[in-house]
Amino acid sequence: MPKRREEHRREPRELGDLPYAGHLEPFDGRLSQGGDYDTVLFDGQEFEEADAGGARFMESAFTSVTFTGGRYRRARFSDVWMNGVRWVGGDLTESVWVDAEIVMSAPAGTALPGAEMHQVFFHRCKLDSVNLRAADLREVSFVECTLRDVDFAGATLTGVDFPGSTLERVRFDKARMSRVDLRGAVSLGISDGYDALRGATISGVQLMELAPMFAQVLGVTVDDG
């Protein structure tokens, strides 16, 4: 566990540091259903209500791109790098994310129910009202991020941590956790799902903060009178 936390504290890479940077070709066109986008550079584009369900993005980079709405169901993002990306709304149900690095980006109102994320790193991102219900997150790190009204209900979280991140009104109802490390979170604002924290590690200070909610879940009455 200590080795993994050190790895997640590393500074995010620059575009030129990517192993495939020299092979990137600028994108010019429209996204399409089932499209294959291999070693493509998306730079400054705005995609509004695009229909790219089942598309595959491989060894590609996104800088200052804005996605508004759109349908990306079952799209696959493999070895992608995103910096300064805004994703407003949009349907990414059952999308797959593998070896993805997402930096200073802001998904808001984005639907990712049933998504699969493996080896995904979020750095200084703002996630607002993101739906990750029933998603499968494995080896995912949220570094210095803000998670506001993010819904992990029914999700499976394995090897997930939150160093330097702020959680506000995050939902974990019926989530399943294994090797989830919450100790590094700056603020642990959970709106429901306290009983789903089994399998998570918290600090002593966080335990004191969460004690009233744990007591409520267990039906324990605390009376100092």
Side-chain angles (χ1 to χ4, degrees), residues 37-56:
Y37 305 97
D38 193 349
T39 56
V40 176
L41 173 62
F42 299 88
D43 185 10
Q45 285 98 348
E46 296 186 8
F47 299 103
E48 186 169 353
E49 298 299 338
D51 190 353
R56 291 170 293 278

Side-chain angles (χ1 to χ4, degrees), residues 31-37 51-58 71-77 95-96:
L31 298 177
S32 61
Q33 287 191 38
D36 281 320
Y37 305 97
D51 190 353
R56 291 170 293 278
F57 301 87
M58 297 160 288
R71 293 159 295 282
Y72 304 87
R73 283 177 170 252
R74 298 188 177 88
R76 183 178 182 88
F77 299 82
S95 56
V96 177

Side-chain angles (χ1 to χ4, degrees), residues 2 4 10 23 52 54 66 79 88 90 101 105 118 136 143 159 176 181 198 201 208 211 213 217 222:
R4 185 173 177 275
R10 66 177 170 80
H23 303 285
T66 298
D79 201 359
V88 183
E101 186 171 358
S105 296
H118 183 215
D136 184 4
V143 180
R176 295 172 297 280
D181 194 343
R198 180 184 180 94
T201 301
M208 297 301 293
M213 281 68 77
V217 168
V222 180

Side-chain angles (χ1 to χ4, degrees), residues 155-220:
T156 300
L157 290 80
T158 306
V160 178
D161 59 7
F162 302 83
S165 290
T166 299
L167 281 65
E168 300 178 11
R169 300 183 301 275
V170 174
R171 293 177 287 279
F172 289 115
D173 185 44
K174 297 181 180 179
R176 295 172 297 280
M177 299 187 183
S178 175
R179 295 188 295 108
V180 172
D181 194 343
L182 293 163
R183 289 174 295 176
V186 175
S187 176
L188 201 54
I190 300 174
S191 61
D192 62 35
Y194 296 100
D195 54 343
L197 295 179
R198 180 184 180 94
T201 301
I202 61 176
S203 68
V205 172
Q206 291 170 330
L207 175 60
M208 297 301 293
E209 294 174 349
L210 296 174
M213 281 68 77
F214 285 154
Q216 183 178 0
V217 168
L218 293 171
V220 174

Side-chain angles (χ1 to χ4, degrees), residues 50-118:
D51 190 353
R56 291 170 293 278
F57 301 87
M58 297 160 288
E59 294 191 337
S60 293
F62 301 75
T63 62
S64 303
V65 175
T66 298
F67 296 92
T68 304
R71 293 159 295 282
Y72 304 87
R73 283 177 170 252
R74 298 188 177 88
R76 183 178 182 88
F77 299 82
S78 180
D79 201 359
V80 297
W81 179 88
M82 296 183 174
N83 191 311
V85 172
R86 294 182 64 245
W87 208 310
V88 183
D91 182 2
L92 287 101
T93 299
E94 297 180 357
S95 56
V96 177
W97 302 72
V98 180
D99 293 325
E101 186 171 358
I102 304 171
V103 183
M104 297 182 67
S105 296
T110 310
L112 289 134
E116 296 180 20
M117 294 188 174
H118 183 215

